[in-house]
Amino acid sequence: RDYKVYAFGVHDVAVTNVAPFKGIVGLGYPIRINVTVENQGTFTETFDVTAYYFVMPPMTPIETKTITLTSGSSIVLTFRWNTTGAGKGNFTIAAEASPVPGETDTLDNSLTDGMVQVTIPGDATGDDWVDVSDFAILGAAWFKGPGMPGYDPCTDFDDDDFVDVSDFAILGKYWFQGDC
């Protein structure tokens, strides 16, 4: 007697969150984008995840990472966007997980969420001008990092998780500059 074994399961990966670390970044400085991906299927899957920025399509890739996730697990991936080639303006952030073999539910493989304003370095207010308003915000966040009361990631111009003299130097370099 021959017996056949049938295995049933689902292949399904999804992007569940896209979140820029801050909403304002100086042109030429980095910003981190957190992307949460989940394996909603029943098999361990290996796939690519790409973060993008755009004003309107086409989207420009920031970075691609290859990951492996077991069934039911999720992970937050951090992508680092160097804004040098972006130009100033408001950009939409998106991420996409490549479909895995056998996947039929691909509607949740991409997610567009989050805006980032690329402006002159040292501009913490987003008004494209570096002045006393930016200095006041930097002063309130002075010597603080993530999780500390008063920390403002928009004043962490060099994106090193601490507001200090290097951020003050960036503000000083662009003092009274901008397109206002």
Side-chain angles (χ1 to χ4, degrees):
R1 209 166 152 119
D2 291 335
Y3 293 96
K4 293 186 179 181
V5 177
Y6 294 96
F8 297 96
V10 176
H11 296 277
D12 187 19
V13 297
V15 175
T16 59
N17 192 37
V18 177
F21 187 67
K22 56 187 171 183
I24 301 170
V25 63
L27 180 63
Y29 286 87
I31 182 173
R32 288 168 283 168
I33 311 294
N34 288 333
V35 175
T36 306
V37 291
E38 183 178 342
N39 181 347
Q40 298 176 341
T42 55
F43 300 100
T44 297
E45 305 286 4
T46 299
F47 56 100
D48 290 337
V49 180
T50 304
Y52 297 92
Y53 70 93
F54 64 97
V55 174
M56 55 188 336
M59 298 188 291
T60 303
I62 294 170
E63 184 181 0
T64 299
K65 295 184 179 204
T66 302
I67 62 165
T68 300
L69 284 179
T70 58
S71 173
S73 66
S74 66
I75 189 171
V76 177
L77 302 171
T78 300
F79 295 86
R80 195 167 193 82
W81 174 23
N82 180 337
T83 61
T84 299
K88 292 195 307 189
N90 293 316
F91 295 90
T92 302
I93 304 301
E96 181 178 53
S98 63
V100 294
E103 183 173 12
T104 56
D105 175 17
T106 58
L107 291 177
D108 58 2
N109 284 40
S110 62
L111 181 63
T112 300
D113 192 18
M115 294 286 291
V116 173
Q117 180 185 4
V118 179
T119 184
I120 185 169
D123 177 16
T125 62
D127 65 358
D128 207 30
W129 184 254
V130 180
D131 62 7
V132 70
S133 299
D134 306 296
F135 181 72
I137 296 169
L138 182 120
W142 189 249
F143 267 54
K144 294 183 174 87
M148 299 173 75
Y151 174 71
D152 185 338
C154 292
T155 61
D156 184 10
F157 304 125
D158 61 3
D159 199 42
D160 68 353
D161 283 335
F162 198 70
V163 179
D164 60 8
V165 70
S166 62
D167 302 296
F168 179 73
I170 293 167
L171 183 136
K173 179 178 178 180
Y174 294 93
W175 188 251
F176 276 170
Q177 293 183 42
D179 291 333
C180 191

